[in-house]
mmCIF file of all heavy atoms in Angstrom:
data_model
loop_
_atom_site.group_PDB
_atom_site.id
_atom_site.type_symbol
_atom_site.label_atom_id
_atom_site.label_comp_id
_atom_site.label_asym_id
_atom_site.label_seq_id
_atom_site.Cartn_x
_atom_site.Cartn_y
_atom_site.Cartn_z
ATOM 1 N N GLY A 107 36.339 -31.188 10.288
ATOM 2 C CA GLY A 107 36.488 -32.393 9.456
ATOM 3 C C GLY A 107 36.173 -33.697 10.143
ATOM 4 O O GLY A 107 36.557 -34.763 9.671
ATOM 5 N N THR A 108 35.481 -33.659 11.286
ATOM 6 C CA THR A 108 35.208 -34.914 11.995
ATOM 7 C C THR A 108 33.848 -35.507 11.612
ATOM 8 O O THR A 108 33.472 -36.546 12.123
ATOM 9 C CB THR A 108 35.252 -34.700 13.516
ATOM 10 O OG1 THR A 108 34.617 -33.467 13.817
ATOM 11 C CG2 THR A 108 36.667 -34.674 14.028
ATOM 12 N N GLY A 109 33.112 -34.809 10.752
ATOM 13 C CA GLY A 109 31.859 -35.386 10.253
ATOM 14 C C GLY A 109 30.606 -34.747 10.826
ATOM 15 O O GLY A 109 29.545 -35.383 10.829
ATOM 16 N N LYS A 110 30.695 -33.507 11.275
ATOM 17 C CA LYS A 110 29.516 -32.866 11.876
ATOM 18 C C LYS A 110 28.429 -32.637 10.815
ATOM 19 O O LYS A 110 27.256 -32.934 11.046
ATOM 20 C CB LYS A 110 29.908 -31.546 12.549
ATOM 21 C CG LYS A 110 30.871 -31.768 13.719
ATOM 22 C CD LYS A 110 31.169 -30.501 14.459
ATOM 23 C CE LYS A 110 32.065 -29.555 13.715
ATOM 24 N NZ LYS A 110 33.423 -30.067 13.445
ATOM 25 N N THR A 111 28.852 -32.159 9.637
ATOM 26 C CA THR A 111 27.876 -31.937 8.566
ATOM 27 C C THR A 111 27.261 -33.268 8.153
ATOM 28 O O THR A 111 26.044 -33.379 7.945
ATOM 29 C CB THR A 111 28.582 -31.285 7.350
ATOM 30 O OG1 THR A 111 29.350 -30.197 7.824
ATOM 31 C CG2 THR A 111 27.587 -30.823 6.325
ATOM 32 N N LEU A 112 28.123 -34.256 8.060
ATOM 33 C CA LEU A 112 27.672 -35.603 7.670
ATOM 34 C C LEU A 112 26.615 -36.121 8.653
ATOM 35 O O LEU A 112 25.580 -36.677 8.261
ATOM 36 C CB LEU A 112 28.905 -36.513 7.724
ATOM 37 C CG LEU A 112 29.177 -37.473 6.595
ATOM 38 C CD1 LEU A 112 29.079 -36.805 5.256
ATOM 39 C CD2 LEU A 112 30.551 -38.097 6.766
ATOM 40 N N LEU A 113 26.877 -35.906 9.955
ATOM 41 C CA LEU A 113 25.940 -36.365 10.995
ATOM 42 C C LEU A 113 24.600 -35.641 10.870
ATOM 43 O O LEU A 113 23.539 -36.252 11.017
ATOM 44 C CB LEU A 113 26.531 -36.113 12.385
ATOM 45 C CG LEU A 113 27.559 -37.123 12.851
ATOM 46 C CD1 LEU A 113 28.254 -36.629 14.106
ATOM 47 C CD2 LEU A 113 26.908 -38.475 13.139
ATOM 48 N N ALA A 114 24.656 -34.342 10.555
ATOM 49 C CA ALA A 114 23.404 -33.580 10.430
ATOM 50 C C ALA A 114 22.602 -34.100 9.245
ATOM 51 O O ALA A 114 21.373 -34.243 9.316
ATOM 52 C CB ALA A 114 23.721 -32.099 10.255
ATOM 53 N N ARG A 115 23.302 -34.431 8.161
ATOM 54 C CA ARG A 115 22.589 -34.957 6.988
ATOM 55 C C ARG A 115 22.017 -36.338 7.291
ATOM 56 O O ARG A 115 20.905 -36.667 6.855
ATOM 57 C CB ARG A 115 23.524 -35.022 5.789
ATOM 58 C CG ARG A 115 24.011 -33.645 5.391
ATOM 59 C CD ARG A 115 24.783 -33.674 4.129
ATOM 60 N NE ARG A 115 23.921 -34.103 3.035
ATOM 61 C CZ ARG A 115 24.269 -34.053 1.773
ATOM 62 N NH1 ARG A 115 25.438 -33.589 1.454
ATOM 63 N NH2 ARG A 115 23.451 -34.452 0.839
ATOM 64 N N ALA A 116 22.774 -37.123 8.034
ATOM 65 C CA ALA A 116 22.277 -38.453 8.403
ATOM 66 C C ALA A 116 21.065 -38.311 9.329
ATOM 67 O O ALA A 116 20.112 -39.098 9.246
ATOM 68 C CB ALA A 116 23.384 -39.250 9.084
ATOM 69 N N ALA A 117 21.087 -37.283 10.179
ATOM 70 C CA ALA A 117 19.961 -37.040 11.081
ATOM 71 C C ALA A 117 18.705 -36.732 10.271
ATOM 72 O O ALA A 117 17.595 -37.172 10.605
ATOM 73 C CB ALA A 117 20.279 -35.882 12.016
ATOM 74 N N ALA A 118 18.877 -36.001 9.158
ATOM 75 C CA ALA A 118 17.730 -35.671 8.306
ATOM 76 C C ALA A 118 17.155 -36.945 7.685
ATOM 77 O O ALA A 118 15.927 -37.128 7.641
ATOM 78 C CB ALA A 118 18.157 -34.684 7.225
ATOM 79 N N SER A 119 18.019 -37.845 7.231
ATOM 80 C CA SER A 119 17.515 -39.104 6.646
ATOM 81 C C SER A 119 16.806 -39.919 7.721
ATOM 82 O O SER A 119 15.751 -40.499 7.478
ATOM 83 C CB SER A 119 18.653 -39.963 6.104
ATOM 84 O OG SER A 119 19.446 -39.232 5.257
ATOM 85 N N TYR A 120 17.420 -39.964 8.909
ATOM 86 C CA TYR A 120 16.880 -40.793 9.996
ATOM 87 C C TYR A 120 15.472 -40.358 10.391
ATOM 88 O O TYR A 120 14.615 -41.173 10.688
ATOM 89 C CB TYR A 120 17.826 -40.697 11.198
ATOM 90 C CG TYR A 120 17.447 -41.556 12.373
ATOM 91 C CD1 TYR A 120 17.550 -42.947 12.301
ATOM 92 C CD2 TYR A 120 17.000 -40.989 13.570
ATOM 93 C CE1 TYR A 120 17.211 -43.736 13.380
ATOM 94 C CE2 TYR A 120 16.658 -41.772 14.649
ATOM 95 C CZ TYR A 120 16.767 -43.148 14.549
ATOM 96 O OH TYR A 120 16.428 -43.937 15.623
ATOM 97 N N THR A 121 15.242 -39.041 10.356
ATOM 98 C CA THR A 121 13.925 -38.537 10.772
ATOM 99 C C THR A 121 13.030 -38.258 9.560
ATOM 100 O O THR A 121 11.974 -37.657 9.703
ATOM 101 C CB THR A 121 14.074 -37.236 11.577
ATOM 102 O OG1 THR A 121 14.922 -36.355 10.832
ATOM 103 C CG2 THR A 121 14.672 -37.454 12.935
ATOM 104 N N ASP A 122 13.494 -38.671 8.374
ATOM 105 C CA ASP A 122 12.775 -38.412 7.127
ATOM 106 C C ASP A 122 12.420 -36.923 7.033
ATOM 107 O O ASP A 122 11.258 -36.545 6.868
ATOM 108 C CB ASP A 122 11.514 -39.280 7.055
ATOM 109 C CG ASP A 122 10.894 -39.193 5.664
ATOM 110 O OD1 ASP A 122 11.647 -38.933 4.709
ATOM 111 O OD2 ASP A 122 9.663 -39.351 5.546
ATOM 112 N N ALA A 123 13.437 -36.110 7.139
ATOM 113 C CA ALA A 123 13.207 -34.666 7.176
ATOM 114 C C ALA A 123 13.810 -33.982 5.955
ATOM 115 O O ALA A 123 14.732 -34.507 5.325
ATOM 116 C CB ALA A 123 13.842 -34.087 8.433
ATOM 117 N N VAL A 124 13.286 -32.816 5.660
ATOM 118 C CA VAL A 124 13.904 -31.955 4.657
ATOM 119 C C VAL A 124 15.151 -31.375 5.310
ATOM 120 O O VAL A 124 15.148 -31.115 6.512
ATOM 121 C CB VAL A 124 12.912 -30.820 4.313
ATOM 122 C CG1 VAL A 124 13.617 -29.690 3.600
ATOM 123 C CG2 VAL A 124 11.778 -31.351 3.481
ATOM 124 N N PHE A 125 16.209 -31.190 4.544
ATOM 125 C CA PHE A 125 17.464 -30.703 5.116
ATOM 126 C C PHE A 125 17.815 -29.361 4.474
ATOM 127 O O PHE A 125 17.931 -29.272 3.254
ATOM 128 C CB PHE A 125 18.558 -31.737 4.831
ATOM 129 C CG PHE A 125 19.906 -31.388 5.370
ATOM 130 C CD1 PHE A 125 20.182 -31.551 6.714
ATOM 131 C CD2 PHE A 125 20.921 -30.907 4.540
ATOM 132 C CE1 PHE A 125 21.428 -31.237 7.232
ATOM 133 C CE2 PHE A 125 22.169 -30.596 5.039
ATOM 134 C CZ PHE A 125 22.411 -30.771 6.388
ATOM 135 N N VAL A 126 17.922 -28.346 5.273
ATOM 136 C CA VAL A 126 18.287 -27.019 4.743
ATOM 137 C C VAL A 126 19.563 -26.589 5.466
ATOM 138 O O VAL A 126 19.605 -26.577 6.698
ATOM 139 C CB VAL A 126 17.170 -25.986 5.006
ATOM 140 C CG1 VAL A 126 17.528 -24.649 4.375
ATOM 141 C CG2 VAL A 126 15.858 -26.476 4.446
#
Side-chain angles (χ1 to χ4, degrees):
T108 41
K110 296 185 287 297
T111 311
L112 225 48
L113 281 169
R115 297 187 64 170
S119 308
Y120 183 70
T121 50
D122 190 27
V124 164
F125 181 77
V126 184

